[in-house]
Amino acid sequence: MAYLDLTNISKTYGTDGRKVQAVAPLTLAMDRGQIVTFLGPSGCGKTTVMRMVGGLETPTTGTITLDGARLGGPDRRRGMVFQSYAAFPWLTVAGNIRLGLKYRADLSASDREDTVNRFIELVGLKGFADSYTNQISGGMRQRVAIARTLAANPDILLMDEPFGALDALTREHLQNKLLEINRTAGKTTIFVTHDVEEAILLAHRLVVFSARPARVLEDINVTEQLGPDDRDQALRDTPAFLSLRREVQQIIRAEYIRAEAEAAHAP
């Protein structure tokens, strides 16, 4: 049995008078510890799929199970990081991360402070522990949100364009850290992105979605093509990476052309 199993899930919004299908029925299964990246045209429904896994949207059809248990609304097993800067302005950087530890019964008081400091350093905010998040930049606030989610130690991470607003060097740093966390802690992760290179670099599997309603166009085994998990930014320059990037770009380009042609002939 797959660790995370999406069976025949779909999503339709609206009433009988006006219905919009965001996600066509689809099935996906993920193994424990996998990073699966979602890639596809803007507005295609890939974020809706992730939100259904997170319990923020209810599937119109189908079921989602985690380790054999059916999922419903949000819970502590699923940690979510969004594109927006979800940091609490009335708390310091350390206070935000400490909030993520609220339900960590496995940690003593001293362990909690060690964990707070470790994640502050992990996301490159050493020296800002006592700063309130309305006193730091948007990119730094996003790093706080990432650290808070990771510190909560969820079973799966759901990440919606979490690095999109960051500068290039910070983005590369956090990409490397996510890979490191996956290697050491085996965090099962769904990562939504519009960046083809980011999708390939981070993924064990890359799922390419169609234009709305979302269907799975391709489910690519990236590890099989690029080798083991000990990746770094230098992988971007290898022939295997460049070849896979061209393949994925061609899939997406063909889907844009198909969707535009279909829209042009729609009544």
Side-chain angles (χ1 to χ4, degrees), residues 95-106:
N96 267 272
I97 299 172
R98 203 174 286 119
L99 187 65
L101 303 175
K102 184 176 181 180
Y103 297 104
R104 290 283 304 273
D106 58 312

Side-chain angles (χ1 to χ4, degrees), residues 59 111 127 135 189 196 199:
D111 287 340
Q135 299 171 332
T189 304
V196 173

Side-chain angles (χ1 to χ4, degrees), residues 34 63 153 200 229 243:
Q34 276 192 326
T63 59
N153 195 33
I200 295 171
D229 293 343
S243 176

Side-chain angles (χ1 to χ4, degrees), residues 146-179:
I146 292 167
R148 186 182 64 234
T149 302
L150 292 172
N153 195 33
D155 294 330
I156 57 174
L157 291 173
L158 304 171
M159 310 185 81
D160 186 14
E161 294 272 5
F163 307 152
L166 304 178
D167 64 87
L169 290 178
T170 301
R171 185 172 186 153
E172 287 188 1
H173 172 76
L174 290 178
Q175 287 169 347
N176 292 338
K177 287 299 181 183
L178 180 61
L179 290 169

Side-chain angles (χ1 to χ4, degrees), residues 90-149:
W90 59 88
L91 295 175
T92 63
V93 168
N96 267 272
I97 299 172
R98 203 174 286 119
L99 187 65
L101 303 175
K102 184 176 181 180
Y103 297 104
R104 290 283 304 273
D106 58 312
L107 297 177
S108 66
S110 61
D111 287 340
R112 286 170 183 268
E113 290 312 302
D114 288 344
T115 301
V116 168
N117 292 330
R118 178 162 61 89
F119 280 101
I120 286 173
E121 189 164 350
L122 175 70
V123 297
L125 291 175
K126 191 174 181 179
F128 292 91
D130 297 325
S131 298
Y132 285 90
T133 55
N134 59 2
Q135 299 171 332
I136 59 178
S137 70
M140 293 169 77
R141 291 198 296 275
Q142 183 69 327
R143 284 186 267 169
V144 172
I146 292 167
R148 186 182 64 234
T149 302

Side-chain angles (χ1 to χ4, degrees), residues 23-90:
V23 179
L26 62 85
T27 295
L28 283 171
M30 292 174 54
D31 293 333
R32 188 190 297 267
Q34 276 192 326
I35 299 178
V36 177
T37 54
F38 286 0
L39 191 68
S42 296
C44 73
K46 57 188 181 296
T47 292
T48 301
V49 174
M50 189 206 75
R51 287 173 63 86
M52 286 192 283
V53 175
L56 299 178
E57 300 277 0
T58 302
T60 303
T61 66
T63 59
I64 302 173
T65 60
L66 177 62
D67 205 15
R70 187 164 178 167
L71 293 177
D75 59 38
R76 291 187 291 111
R77 292 175 295 171
R78 291 163 284 175
M80 290 175 271
V81 180
F82 301 103
Q83 187 175 14
S84 58
Y85 307 131
F88 300 108
W90 59 88

